[in-house]
Amino acid sequence: EVQLVESGGGLVKPGGSLRLSCAASGFTFFNARMSWVRQAPGKGLEWVGHIKNKFDGGTRDYAAPVKGRFTISRDDSKNTLYLQMNSLTTEDTGVYYCTTDRFEGNNETPYFDSWGQGTLVTVSS
Amino acid sequence: DIQMTQSPSSLSASVGGRVTITCRASQSIRSWLAWYQQKPGKAPKLLIYDASSLESGVPSRFSGSGSGTEFTLTISSLQPDDFATYYCQHYNPYSALTFGGGTKVEIK
């Protein structure tokens, strides 16, 4: 059974940094492409970014609002995904979910077939 | 970016009733559409992908249809476990993926 367990959320001041982790089990993590998706309180879902597996180059892509501030990385030896968040603003407040990507054929834009329970990030002074 | 517009934003329905939720894309996304169900305080769950393919383990009362710019999610006979918020998401490879704003299904 796929399990994704996020951690590292908390309260941080505007301009601060935070690193989230996602511990994965129940599937071949090093083969997987992974994403982060967030949800502001009472709002809808927003894709943050994703990372390919090393066989596919390990490349990363990010949504425009976080590009240049957030970095996704992975440690395949620990089956763990990370999200480093810098220069945080109040707009970054929300629950952050780790997901497994699924993609079809030559279309490399994913949808998300497994989700963690999420970790809450609150940016406030 | 492609905008995804869901309607209605909320609806009330009775157990056993039929529910239809619409998702419209601002430009064609062929069949690159997924639907998710989210219950309060929980993570979303994949229901439908490729507009009409049912994810393994999802009850057959859920179905999806459409292509191009207009899509529907139908629940044929609403069950108590189905009261939740539903989101569509496109995965057109030529545009950043985006989600619809959600449709909350409440008990009538």
Side-chain angles (χ1 to χ4, degrees):
Chain A
E1 179 194 0
V2 172
Q3 280 209 310
L4 300 168
V5 180
E6 301 93 336
S7 60
L11 176 63
V12 61
K13 288 183 166 49
S17 298
L18 207 57
R19 189 178 84 155
L20 307 183
S21 300
C22 170
S25 61
F27 64 102
T28 310
F29 181 77
F30 68 83
N31 266 344
R33 298 184 183 186
M34 305 289 295
S35 283
W36 289 94
V37 175
R38 68 183 180 182
Q39 186 170 35
K43 302 296 184 183
L45 301 166
E46 180 184 29
W47 175 73
V48 171
H50 72 173
I51 185 168
K52 293 183 180 179
N53 62 50
K54 286 188 167 49
F55 306 103
D56 292 323
T59 54
R60 293 164 272 198
D61 194 15
Y62 300 95
V66 309
K67 196 171 287 189
R69 299 188 299 123
F70 289 13
T71 302
I72 297 174
S73 61
R74 62 192 298 158
D75 186 336
D76 291 342
S77 69
K78 295 182 179 178
N79 285 359
T80 302
L81 179 73
Y82 300 101
L83 178 64
Q84 177 67 44
M85 304 185 293
N86 298 331
S87 303
L88 285 160
T89 75
T90 56
E91 301 291 305
D92 297 316
T93 293
V95 175
Y96 284 71
Y97 296 102
C98 158
T99 73
T100 54
D101 290 3
R102 190 189 296 175
F103 52 98
E104 305 289 336
N106 292 328
N107 181 356
E108 298 202 330
T109 302
Y111 55 97
F112 312 110
D113 55 1
S114 294
W115 298 65
Q117 87 289 349
T119 188
L120 176 62
V121 173
T122 303
V123 185
S124 175
S125 54
Chain B
D1 288 358
I2 296 174
Q3 307 304 315
M4 306 299 293
T5 304
Q6 286 184 236
S7 60
S9 55
S10 65
L11 63 90
S12 296
S14 301
V15 172
R18 183 181 182 89
V19 167
T20 299
I21 298 168
T22 298
C23 179
R24 289 188 175 86
S26 59
Q27 59 185 269
S28 176
I29 56 169
R30 293 172 54 177
S31 294
W32 291 314
L33 186 94
W35 289 97
Y36 303 87
Q37 176 194 66
Q38 185 179 33
K39 297 180 182 178
K42 301 293 187 184
K45 172 187 171 183
L46 177 65
L47 298 176
I48 301 279
Y49 61 95
D50 291 350
S52 60
S53 296
L54 194 67
E55 175 70 352
S56 176
V58 174
S60 58
R61 63 181 179 273
F62 290 92
S63 64
S65 64
S67 66
T69 61
E70 186 149 337
F71 302 84
T72 59
L73 173 70
T74 300
I75 310 172
S76 59
S77 177
L78 198 66
Q79 299 301 301
D81 192 46
D82 302 337
F83 292 96
T85 299
Y86 294 84
Y87 293 93
C88 61
Q89 176 229 324
H90 89 78
Y91 45 102
N92 183 319
Y94 307 109
S95 178
L97 71 89
T98 52
F99 292 88
T103 296
K104 187 173 183 179
V105 176
E106 297 176 302
I107 301 173
K108 193 170 192 177

